[in-house]
Amino acid sequence: TKPCSMKKFALALVATLFLGSLTVQSVNAQTRRGHYFLTGASQLSFQTTFNSGSSEEFLFSFSPSFGGFVADNLALGLNGNIFYVSSASSVVYSVMPTMTYYFNQGKSFIPYIGGQVGYVGVSSYGVSLNGFGMGVGAGGVLMLNKHVGVNLGLQYLHSRYPSRYRTNTSNSLTTSIGLTTFF
């Protein structure tokens, strides 16, 4: 039975190398002009808010994103975020256009950098504020196959919420993990 096992092992190894090379070749095509992506990410973050004093909070969020490649490796998209902060009974939300550049070299890991600017809001204890936010981020997509990858990222977001009496600012550094589908 040993020669049969070795043949199966060798066949499996050859098939894996062949299919892996096809995946690497097709990964390069996913960030070409005319393709699209859809991402769903969860985030864990540590946020410091500066008001009359400062407070620190731990929060959890969900962030869907959708976009398209307007040029090879350059995508424009729309990102939405919904945060729930249990310590303050608050919901933080945002809708931001994004621009992302992917450094795709045809490998199974595709690094990227990006930026976003847009609308942010917060609702806490019946009081709502909204304003302007902007952020930058970097990360990478570890491709599982030619269409689906695990997205790992780090993002900094600065938000300003003007109110009648003062302007509240928020600065957050966020890590995220999610799934990205290219089509």
Side-chain angles (χ1 to χ4, degrees), residues 96 116-121 130-134 157-162:
M96 297 189 180
Q116 58 186 356
V117 175
Y119 174 81
V120 294
N130 54 52
F132 172 78
M134 62 183 175
L157 180 64
H158 173 77
S159 305
R160 295 178 57 91
Y161 306 98

Side-chain angles (χ1 to χ4, degrees), residues 56-133:
E56 296 175 344
E57 300 171 312
F58 177 77
L59 51 96
F60 177 77
S61 73
F62 178 69
S63 302
S65 297
F66 174 76
F69 290 89
V70 295
D72 289 354
N73 301 319
L74 181 64
L76 296 179
L78 187 63
N79 182 29
N81 289 309
I82 298 173
F83 297 92
Y84 174 69
V85 183
S86 62
S87 63
S89 297
S90 64
V91 176
V92 180
Y93 47 91
S94 67
V95 177
M96 297 189 180
T98 62
M99 183 169 38
T100 308
Y101 185 80
Y102 291 82
F103 298 93
N104 190 351
Q105 302 299 315
K107 310 242 179 195
S108 61
F109 184 75
I110 306 170
Y112 64 83
I113 59 171
Q116 58 186 356
V117 175
Y119 174 81
V120 294
V122 62
S123 176
S124 181
Y125 300 113
V127 176
S128 294
L129 297 173
N130 54 52
F132 172 78

Side-chain angles (χ1 to χ4, degrees), residues 2 9 15 20 49 147 170:
K2 289 243 180 204
F9 176 74
T49 305
H147 295 289
S170 172

